[in-house]
Amino acid sequence: MDQIKQIQVELKKEDDSILTPWQIQDFISTLASNYYKLDLINEISKQINNGVSEENIFIINESFNYNNKYVFLNRSNRLNLNDIEDFKHFFHFGNPISLIPNEDMNTMSLKFSIFRDLNNYLYSKGESRIDKAKFQVVAIQKNSSFEDIIKLVKFKKETSKDIKERMNTDIKDIENKYVKLVKERNSHEIQINTFKTCIENNKLDDNEEYIDIKEKYFNEFEKCFTRLERPIVGIYNVDKRVVEILSSSFIMKDSRDERFLDIKEISHNSPTYVNLFVGIAFATPLLILFANIITEKIKGNDEIEDIKYSAVEESIRFVHEEHEDEALMSKVEACEKLDDEIEVLLNELVKKEELKGYEKIEKTYSKNLMYSMSNNIESKTVENIKEYGFQNKELSAKIIDFKDIKKKRNTVKIEKINNKEMKK
């Protein structure tokens, strides 16, 4: 089987109701966000399996701006923080939060925050803001302090002594806020490191004493990932001060590759019809969608024997597991009710492209985290499609080689479910 690049998905509403432009926009936006997140989870899992430390994997606390072209990513998805321009690009993304607490990254994030607070305050008082080029030198130094950043503040010559004193008091209050945060984290350092050791050694059976620590310092990555519509995820090489942005092609406005979600057609006629090109990461929610449709069709047929229905349920569960093709075909043939072509092709894709790479992660904590995030996004994707009435027998797809999309050659088609009548 040749390299699979894209999936063409055709969605048609189950009734004659027409979606408003706002509903279409919301549907596509949610679909694009969830698909992007599934791709990110795959990338994160691959990086962990390739030996990248979870402490060096981060998420930015803000979504990327879809109106920004981020043209600098065309050159490379790697940003050298020793370079002032690359540093500025990274700084403007937001604050980094590591998957597992990383002291260097946490310190950098706090430096970013105090720098923003200081500049906002200075601007509100009509003073010159701190130069980012000067801040960059302090920000990437491991042993630099908040005081070093404050020393970069330069008041205007005409600012009176009294005003300077009042402003210095306010600036000191800003510094104290961040000093307090550092002291609080330092007071928990032993517990943080102990819990990290438990994670490393897969000894998390009894971790009730670390519930508060986990909530405060270990759950922020997942919270951001869930909350943000367009998260930015990357890898930070602490020693080289180099950042690699994952799935960067999604962030670049003018990017078009095999991973991009592209709208081929939207018909506002009755019933509403949507034709999309999506990357391989969409195979997993498609499996769930097809399985749901088959299950609902079986449940609606009173003539199906209970024993056969149980076999179908077992086979539907089976599509989310990794097995050899022979065993897979055996299950499909025994069941009689599944669309074997859909199941086989999508499962081949899931296996070949390692779309469930988190299953190979050795650390239980990280494996469970990636599974939880993936399961959450897959469920939301299916619910979004179902909510707008697209989860029905008209759902179909084609698996396409990206190079041949325009020529429409070398395609492998997955027939519509309703084309195969169920045997009584």
Side-chain angles (χ1 to χ4, degrees):
M1 187 175 180
D2 295 332
Q3 180 75 12
I4 298 300
K5 292 297 185 181
Q6 276 211 337
I7 303 174
Q8 182 179 354
V9 181
E10 298 175 354
L11 304 169
K12 187 179 290 186
K13 273 184 63 63
E14 60 187 348
D15 55 39
D16 294 333
S17 62
I18 300 175
L19 298 181
T20 67
W22 299 110
Q23 288 175 312
I24 287 289
Q25 182 179 359
D26 179 68
F27 169 71
I28 296 297
S29 176
T30 302
L31 193 69
S33 173
N34 291 340
Y35 161 58
Y36 168 53
K37 289 183 178 183
L38 286 173
D39 190 87
L40 281 175
I41 292 170
N42 293 334
E43 287 299 307
I44 295 170
S45 299
K46 288 178 183 177
Q47 294 295 333
I48 294 175
N49 287 329
N50 287 336
V52 174
S53 170
E54 290 90 331
E55 292 188 35
N56 292 337
I57 298 173
F58 67 86
I59 187 170
I60 299 295
N61 66 338
E62 300 175 17
S63 288
F64 68 81
N65 186 343
Y66 56 77
N67 289 320
N68 193 328
K69 291 187 176 182
Y70 299 104
V71 292
F72 59 89
L73 290 174
N74 287 321
R75 172 174 51 84
S76 174
N77 69 330
R78 295 177 183 270
L79 302 176
N80 184 350
L81 303 190
N82 296 300
D83 177 84
I84 182 58
E85 292 305 317
D86 280 1
F87 175 82
K88 287 179 180 179
H89 293 319
F90 183 63
F91 171 81
H92 288 145
F93 277 146
N95 290 4
I97 299 167
S98 51
L99 195 154
I100 289 181
N102 179 316
E103 185 176 357
D104 284 339
M105 206 169 298
N106 179 69
T107 300
M108 178 180 288
S109 182
L110 291 177
K111 287 177 181 177
F112 282 9
S113 291
I114 192 173
F115 176 80
R116 291 189 177 95
D117 284 355
L118 286 171
N119 269 355
N120 288 337
Y121 173 76
L122 291 170
Y123 180 76
S124 71
K125 299 298 181 181
E127 295 290 339
S128 300
R129 287 176 281 197
I130 303 171
D131 186 356
K132 286 190 182 73
K134 294 180 179 179
F135 169 64
Q136 177 240 6
V137 177
V138 177
I140 64 176
Q141 288 179 354
K142 186 174 183 178
N143 297 321
S144 61
S145 64
F146 299 138
E147 185 177 356
D148 293 323
I149 300 174
I150 291 172
K151 288 178 180 178
L152 300 175
V153 175
K154 302 297 179 184
F155 297 118
K156 293 179 179 179
K157 291 181 179 180
E158 60 267 27
T159 304
S160 68
K161 183 179 179 180
D162 289 343
I163 292 178
K164 286 180 181 179
E165 288 179 354
R166 287 198 297 270
M167 291 180 66
N168 279 327
T169 300
D170 293 340
I171 289 172
K172 189 65 177 177
D173 289 340
I174 293 174
E175 179 188 10
N176 288 337
K177 179 177 72 172
Y178 288 96
V179 169
K180 184 178 179 180
L181 289 174
V182 172
K183 287 182 177 179
E184 182 181 11
R185 189 184 190 283
N186 289 342
S187 69
H188 294 139
E189 194 66 27
I190 294 177
Q191 291 169 291
I192 291 172
N193 289 334
T194 302
F195 188 62
K196 285 164 70 171
T197 300
C198 291
I199 291 173
E200 191 70 28
N201 297 327
N202 282 335
K203 294 183 178 179
L204 297 173
D205 295 335
D206 184 16
N207 56 23
E208 292 185 5
E209 60 181 303
Y210 300 109
I211 289 178
D212 292 339
I213 292 295
K214 183 175 182 292
E215 175 64 27
K216 188 173 182 64
Y217 298 105
F218 288 78
N219 290 351
E220 197 61 28
F221 185 100
E222 183 179 12
K223 287 180 181 178
C224 278
F225 194 89
T226 302
R227 172 177 59 85
L228 297 175
E229 185 177 356
R230 301 174 302 279
I232 301 170
V233 175
I235 301 168
Y236 182 39
N237 186 316
V238 178
D239 295 331
K240 294 183 179 180
R241 298 289 191 249
V242 172
V243 168
E244 178 184 355
I245 305 300
L246 301 181
S247 300
S248 60
S249 60
F250 286 89
I251 300 175
M252 294 180 285
K253 187 175 181 180
D254 296 331
S255 173
R256 287 293 186 276
D257 66 9
E258 68 271 15
R259 301 163 82 177
F260 198 81
L261 186 148
D262 213 355
I263 302 172
K264 181 181 179 183
E265 180 184 1
I266 296 179
S267 171
H268 296 278
N269 297 327
S270 177
T272 304
Y273 170 79
V274 179
N275 192 334
L276 305 166
F277 285 129
V278 293
I280 57 176
F282 204 72
T284 46
L286 271 180
L287 274 169
I288 298 172
L289 281 166
F290 287 132
N292 287 350
I293 294 168
I294 293 168
T295 301
E296 290 176 2
K297 191 169 184 179
I298 292 171
K299 286 182 178 179
N301 192 332
D302 295 333
E303 297 181 12
I304 295 178
E305 301 175 15
D306 290 340
I307 187 170
K308 289 185 178 181
Y309 176 61
S310 297
V312 172
E313 280 195 317
E314 180 183 356
S315 187
I316 289 172
R317 286 195 298 272
F318 179 83
V319 303
H320 304 294
E321 301 172 359
E322 291 187 1
H323 290 268
E324 296 300 322
D325 290 343
E326 293 80 8
L328 178 62
M329 291 304 297
S330 176
K331 282 278 186 179
V332 173
E333 292 168 0
C335 174
E336 294 185 342
K337 305 304 176 186
L338 284 175
D339 189 315
D340 56 338
E341 192 175 4
I342 290 173
E343 185 176 15
V344 170
L345 288 174
L346 289 179
N347 270 284
E348 279 186 4
L349 187 58
V350 169
K351 288 179 62 176
K352 185 172 183 177
E353 301 297 334
E354 298 182 343
L355 300 184
K356 292 187 178 292
Y358 54 78
E359 293 177 347
K360 297 181 180 179
I361 296 177
E362 294 181 358
K363 296 175 187 175
T364 304
Y365 176 87
S366 301
K367 178 190 291 186
N368 290 344
L369 177 61
M370 291 301 109
Y371 170 78
S372 174
M373 289 166 55
S374 179
N375 187 61
N376 180 39
I377 299 303
E378 287 173 1
S379 298
K380 286 183 177 180
T381 302
V382 172
E383 185 58 35
N384 180 47
I385 292 174
K386 184 177 181 179
E387 180 183 353
Y388 282 100
F390 290 116
Q391 179 181 299
N392 58 75
K393 61 186 179 180
E394 298 297 331
L395 174 65
S396 66
K398 297 177 183 178
I399 297 178
I400 301 173
D401 187 326
F402 180 69
K403 298 188 297 295
D404 299 322
I405 283 181
K406 292 184 179 180
K407 297 179 181 179
K408 295 184 178 179
R409 293 186 294 106
N410 300 330
T411 62
V412 182
K413 185 173 182 181
I414 302 176
E415 299 294 340
K416 293 181 180 179
I417 289 178
N418 61 316
N419 286 344
K420 288 193 174 183
E421 294 297 329
M422 292 191 170
K423 299 177 181 179
K424 294 184 179 180

